[in-house]
Amino acid sequence: MRKFTAILLCVALMLLSGCTATTTENNDKVIAVSFYPIYIFTLNLVEGIDGIDVECMAEQSGGCLHDYTITAKDAKLINDCHVFIINGAGMESFVEDLYTTVDGLSLIDSSEGIELICSHQHQEEGHNHSHNHTENSHVWMSVENAMQQVENICKGLIAAFPEYKTEITNNKTAYLQRLERLRAEIQLTKKQTQGQSIVSFHDAYAYFSKDLGLNISATVENDDGGEPSAKKLAELSDEISENNIKALFIEPHYEGNAADILANETGAKIYVLNPVITGEKALSAYEDTMRENIKTILKAVK
């Protein structure tokens, strides 16, 4: 479990004790969001509204929060903002000790009401052998879940800024219409992908795969573990060959060598799926990336 270092805790506590919630220099109301997908959802909801500034804690190029280390700058941002929007589902548990101590901070958990997938994680012998189940926090990778997150964020923003209710509601309606078109494309794609088996190198794809009716035969690497052992690789190779699995999916910045080993041994091809954790500051970024993922899936299972 991630913990603050003693030094960083001291810095954070100093910030919290010495500051009260403020606005930016031009008196904008500040919304802090935890990381990229929540940033894009929020930008769409406040588009065109003067007087609201959205800041991303992990920044749009920072990636997933599993390996993120909070900084003094982050602590100050959370302390100074009016609203802090999180993905929820356990994604931001490492910063909970900080945001729960800020007086008057409105917290929006965008995962409320979403049914979570339970991920099975284990460590092999020689690596503190243990088994546990944990809730998969990558809920935004399902378009349907993303739509619920937008609804939750909208509700929270209206509660925090009732003076902008009309603008936020209109933006929500327009954004959900776009996401509904994306969801319809997912449903059409599912007709071609239903029942296909794949191997994933990141547990970020569980919700996306479920929407497409894909069976994830194995998740080779997870956020709490490294590369699989030689024994595990041999087992995976046998499983891939026996089940005629044709596709191995990695994330854009995957740095391991297990995928290449399995591809060479089984003939399965490697494809890159984008978990939408980094990208441009563009309102259509989530939709654009998910459509690219759909194209990749169709190419892989054809």
Side-chain angles (χ1 to χ4, degrees), residues 45 108 112 150-160 168 172:
L45 289 172
I108 302 175
E112 287 186 2
V150 171
E151 290 276 12
N152 290 338
I153 296 170
C154 176
K155 180 180 178 181
L157 288 178
I158 290 174
I168 294 171
K172 181 199 75 171

Side-chain angles (χ1 to χ4, degrees), residues 65-89:
L65 295 183
H66 293 297
D67 300 315
Y68 188 76
T69 300
I70 195 167
T71 66
K73 179 181 177 182
D74 299 329
K76 187 176 190 308
L77 171 63
I78 295 171
N79 185 68
D80 289 353
C81 70
H82 297 79
V83 177
F84 185 40
I85 308 175
I86 63 174
N87 176 75

Side-chain angles (χ1 to χ4, degrees), residues 31 33 38-46 54 85 153 157:
I31 299 172
V33 301
I38 309 306
Y39 182 56
I40 297 301
F41 297 159
T42 305
L43 287 178
N44 275 278
L45 289 172
V46 301
V54 183
I85 308 175
I153 296 170
L157 288 178

Side-chain angles (χ1 to χ4, degrees), residues 6 9 16 22 46 78 87 91 102 120 168 192 227 229 232 275 277 290:
L9 264 176
L16 292 174
T22 62
V46 301
I78 295 171
N87 176 75
M91 179 65 76
V102 180
H120 177 70
I168 294 171
Q192 302 178 62
E227 289 282 276
S229 66
K232 184 62 177 178
I277 55 176
M290 292 299 281

Side-chain angles (χ1 to χ4, degrees), residues 135-283:
E135 292 172 333
N136 190 312
S137 56
H138 303 82
V139 294
W140 69 91
M141 286 299 289
S142 162
V143 177
E144 185 170 347
N145 288 347
M147 295 174 73
Q148 181 61 54
Q149 290 183 278
V150 171
E151 290 276 12
N152 290 338
I153 296 170
C154 176
K155 180 180 178 181
L157 288 178
I158 290 174
F161 309 120
E163 66 271 29
Y164 297 122
K165 178 179 179 180
T166 299
E167 294 91 335
I168 294 171
T169 300
N170 289 341
N171 284 340
K172 181 199 75 171
T173 299
Y175 192 34
L176 288 182
Q177 287 175 347
R178 286 160 39 206
L179 292 179
E180 178 58 40
R181 289 194 290 271
L182 178 59
R183 185 171 71 164
E185 293 172 31
I186 293 281
Q187 289 301 308
L188 286 175
T189 303
K190 186 176 180 179
K191 295 179 180 180
Q192 302 178 62
T193 57
Q194 180 79 50
Q196 297 278 357
S197 292
I198 65 171
V199 169
S200 167
F201 281 74
H202 196 292
D203 63 359
Y205 310 130
Y207 293 95
F208 185 52
S209 297
K210 183 179 180 181
D211 280 358
L212 290 170
L214 292 166
N215 170 44
I216 298 182
S217 181
T219 299
V220 179
E221 184 181 36
N222 59 55
D223 297 308
D224 296 324
E227 289 282 276
S229 66
K231 177 182 177 182
K232 184 62 177 178
L233 280 173
E235 293 173 354
L236 287 165
S237 179
D238 290 341
E239 181 176 352
I240 291 169
S241 298
E242 290 171 4
N243 294 285
N244 195 30
I245 295 172
K246 300 177 180 179
L248 311 176
F249 290 99
I250 62 174
E251 58 185 322
H253 303 295
Y254 173 75
E255 296 179 348
N257 56 18
D260 288 328
I261 292 172
L262 291 173
N264 290 333
E265 292 184 353
T266 65
K269 293 185 178 180
I270 299 173
Y271 298 89
V272 178
L273 281 181
N274 191 326
V276 203
I277 55 176
T278 61
E280 299 297 322
K281 183 181 177 180
L283 297 180

